[in-house]
Amino acid sequence: MSDLRIRPAGHPDIDAVLQFWRKAAEGTSISDDRNGVERLVTRDPEALILAELDGELVGTVIAGFDGWRCHLYRLAVHPDRRRRGIGGALLTAAEERFVRLGGRRGDAMVLTANEDAHHAWRAAGYAPEERWRRWVKPLPA
């Protein structure tokens, strides 16, 4: 897929990313709004990684690094473009970023019921960690 372009998102991309996630991502997050994505891009301009094919947004991943852990979120590929290496290219870019930053292990947030995603993550070398469970608490706005 030689025409695939991988790049960090900027502020002008935010609305397109939000629209893309409504089509391509499973589920929604409390941070899936303009303010949430704007904070991410402002705080860490390289964390939101985009894949474009012929100028069209076809994939995303958030590669967040807090100085301690490498977290992957919102790996999404356009439904019509799946199984063509786009997700793998995004994960490669995310993992290269983590290595540059000194990260040692990536972890991914993957919905339990999203079997298609499970296959994609396994194909990329990730495995579920059954000993841990995610605990969440929404914070006041």
Side-chain angles (χ1 to χ4, degrees):
M1 186 151 310
S2 60
D3 297 345
L4 189 66
R5 180 176 177 223
I6 305 291
R7 67 172 179 87
H11 287 276
D13 299 306
I14 292 172
D15 291 328
V17 166
L18 290 167
Q19 183 178 357
F20 176 78
W21 285 344
R22 285 192 287 275
K23 282 188 283 195
E26 283 290 320
T28 57
S29 166
I30 196 169
S31 301
D32 287 356
D33 59 27
R34 183 167 237 300
N35 289 337
V37 179
E38 201 164 70
R39 274 191 304 276
L40 171 67
V41 171
T42 298
R43 183 183 176 280
D44 188 348
E46 295 182 356
L48 176 53
I49 303 169
L50 307 181
E52 296 175 327
L53 193 56
D54 299 322
E56 175 192 355
L57 178 59
V58 295
T60 67
V61 69
I62 297 173
F65 182 65
D66 60 14
W68 181 258
R69 306 267 184 191
C70 306
H71 301 286
L72 295 158
Y73 310 94
R74 280 294 184 225
L75 176 62
V77 175
H78 191 285
D80 296 338
R81 305 284 189 158
R82 292 182 181 156
R83 302 187 59 83
R84 298 182 189 180
I86 295 168
L90 284 163
L91 287 177
T92 296
E95 291 165 0
E96 288 171 353
R97 167 180 156 75
F98 292 152
V99 169
R100 280 192 316 273
L101 293 171
R104 297 182 182 175
R105 177 183 63 206
D107 68 60
M109 298 296 302
V110 184
L111 291 171
T112 305
N114 189 344
E115 290 295 325
D116 289 339
H118 298 181
H119 296 296
W121 285 103
R122 278 191 182 92
Y126 290 78
E129 175 53 73
E130 301 299 338
R131 297 177 299 162
W132 299 333
R133 172 106 28 213
R134 181 176 182 220
W135 294 42
V136 299
K137 176 184 176 183
L139 301 174

